[in-house]
Amino acid sequence: MDRERRRDLFEAIGLLAIVASLVFLAIEIGQNTNALHGQSRQSVLEAAQNELFLLVENPEISLSVVKEGPLTPEENVMLDAYLAATLRAREYAYLQFQDGAIDEEQWNAELAVAKSILNAERVRRWWDVVGRSNTSPEFSKFVDSQIISEPVTGGGWQDFVNWANH
């Protein structure tokens, strides 16, 4: 075999090796992307479950939303911390959605939770006084755009507290 044919053969082998490496990398990147998406979905789900467990352990948080009259300082602190955590979790989901780490269906479920949380007079007042400052300006503007035309009925919280009486 002459020198030129050997060189052509080695170049062809080199090209095949490069193509095989690129295919392998593409497969690996796809698997890593799927794993990251799964981790993001899991994080969002765990945050939501932790919120629910917190309400089970501290029912006074939900009761403080529907309570008539002013809250005690302790109730204010507990409700503020709970609402800040839940809205920050929705902000995390919002960022994950923007980055493509969670899909639109999951994001819409998270958005529905945020709207439900903010659908009480006391919670809306919290959002206006302190809540908005607990999230990024971009997320705050987004939340405002979603709730501006939503009537405040308190329905979600009332149902949560009184569902067995319906």
Side-chain angles (χ1 to χ4, degrees), residues 86-107:
T86 59
L87 268 294
R88 289 306 305 256
R90 303 293 98 59
E91 181 177 19
Y92 171 77
Y94 174 76
L95 295 172
Q96 294 299 303
F97 173 66
Q98 286 187 320
D99 290 343
I102 62 172
D103 60 25
E104 188 170 0
E105 183 179 355
Q106 186 170 7
W107 166 242

Side-chain angles (χ1 to χ4, degrees), residues 1-10:
M1 186 179 282
D2 69 347
R3 184 179 259 174
E4 190 172 311
R5 289 179 88 183
R6 274 191 297 202
R7 189 192 69 205
D8 290 345
L9 179 62
F10 287 135

Side-chain angles (χ1 to χ4, degrees), residues 102-151:
I102 62 172
D103 60 25
E104 188 170 0
E105 183 179 355
Q106 186 170 7
W107 166 242
N108 286 335
E110 293 297 317
L111 179 57
V113 170
K115 286 180 175 182
S116 177
I117 289 168
L118 289 161
N119 190 347
E121 189 63 42
R122 179 164 276 147
V123 178
R124 206 57 84 82
R125 196 170 37 242
W126 169 84
W127 176 252
D128 290 337
V129 175
V130 295
R132 190 177 283 111
S133 64
N134 287 322
T135 62
S136 70
E138 179 186 352
F139 184 69
S140 295
K141 286 179 190 173
F142 174 77
V143 169
D144 286 338
S145 76
Q146 295 297 304
I147 65 172
I148 191 96
S149 62
E150 295 284 324

